[in-house]
Amino acid sequence: MKIKFYLTMITCITAISFSVQAQQISISGGVLIPADEWSDSWDSGYGIQASYKIERNEQIRIGGSIGLFTVPGKEIDFLGFRIDIPDARIIPILSTFDYKINEQFYVGGDAGYNLFLYDTGDSFDSPAGSTLALIPKIGTVYNKLNAELRYNILGDSYLSVIVGFTFGN
């Protein structure tokens, strides 16, 4: 099941990248830090993200991204009982908008869905649903290195820091 999942993700990313002739493709890794009530059940996680962006004019880029983040579950106390929260995987599927402030900095936002999978002991194949995602962000680009600070404000809130390499314009 895991192999099928990873092959499907790689195929989708490749198809998206070449079908739209993206001017900018980014491969990034990052840290995801749960916030609000969500932080009671899960620890900070890590993951990868691939994105493409098309330049509409000198200041505006639009595109999409897909990622895979793993967040370890915690052991919580509920009415005197110890409950183990399972590890989770989050798959953000997002459309993205960036507005360049200058050559190095940009602000923007992402909107889409976060798909959730829970660890069932053998694999991460237990779908747990999805939530809408609305993510304001600020980013910087230095040479081919990009970094973003993002905060998901809908559903399960989380802060993420993404750092990666950009290919293209």
Side-chain angles (χ1 to χ4, degrees), residues 103-118:
E103 288 301 315
Q104 290 184 326
F105 293 98
Y106 60 92
V107 295
D110 295 346
Y113 283 100
N114 286 323
L115 303 176
F116 293 91
L117 302 172
Y118 288 132

Side-chain angles (χ1 to χ4, degrees), residues 14-64:
T14 303
I16 289 169
S17 299
F18 292 109
S19 67
V20 297
Q21 297 179 352
Q23 290 188 7
Q24 185 182 69
I25 297 171
S26 298
I27 306 296
S28 307
V31 176
L32 186 141
I33 304 164
D36 299 335
E37 295 89 24
W38 204 46
S39 64
D40 295 338
S41 302
W42 282 278
D43 283 324
S44 296
Y46 56 91
I48 59 171
Q49 181 171 317
S51 65
Y52 68 91
K53 295 176 186 171
I54 300 168
E55 191 171 273
R56 300 303 295 170
N57 61 37
E58 287 186 22
Q59 277 90 24
I60 297 175
R61 288 184 188 247
I62 59 171

Side-chain angles (χ1 to χ4, degrees), residues 44-155:
S44 296
Y46 56 91
I48 59 171
Q49 181 171 317
S51 65
Y52 68 91
K53 295 176 186 171
I54 300 168
E55 191 171 273
R56 300 303 295 170
N57 61 37
E58 287 186 22
Q59 277 90 24
I60 297 175
R61 288 184 188 247
I62 59 171
S65 68
I66 188 167
L68 177 64
F69 289 86
T70 300
V71 288
K74 291 182 179 179
E75 186 177 284
I76 62 171
D77 186 31
F78 181 72
L79 300 175
F81 296 97
R82 303 297 293 168
I83 299 173
D84 286 327
I85 303 296
D87 295 351
R89 295 246 170 107
I90 302 168
I91 303 170
I93 302 171
L94 307 166
S95 59
T96 187
F97 171 84
D98 293 346
Y99 179 81
K100 290 188 338 186
I101 298 170
N102 58 34
E103 288 301 315
Q104 290 184 326
F105 293 98
Y106 60 92
V107 295
D110 295 346
Y113 283 100
N114 286 323
L115 303 176
F116 293 91
L117 302 172
Y118 288 132
D119 185 2
T120 59
D122 296 331
S123 64
F124 284 91
D125 59 1
S126 177
S130 63
T131 62
L132 289 174
L134 182 58
I135 305 171
K137 63 183 177 181
I138 185 166
T140 184
V141 177
Y142 181 73
N143 289 330
K144 295 295 180 181
L145 185 67
N146 66 308
E148 291 182 355
L149 179 64
R150 310 150 51 118
Y151 186 76
N152 186 36
I153 60 176
L154 287 181

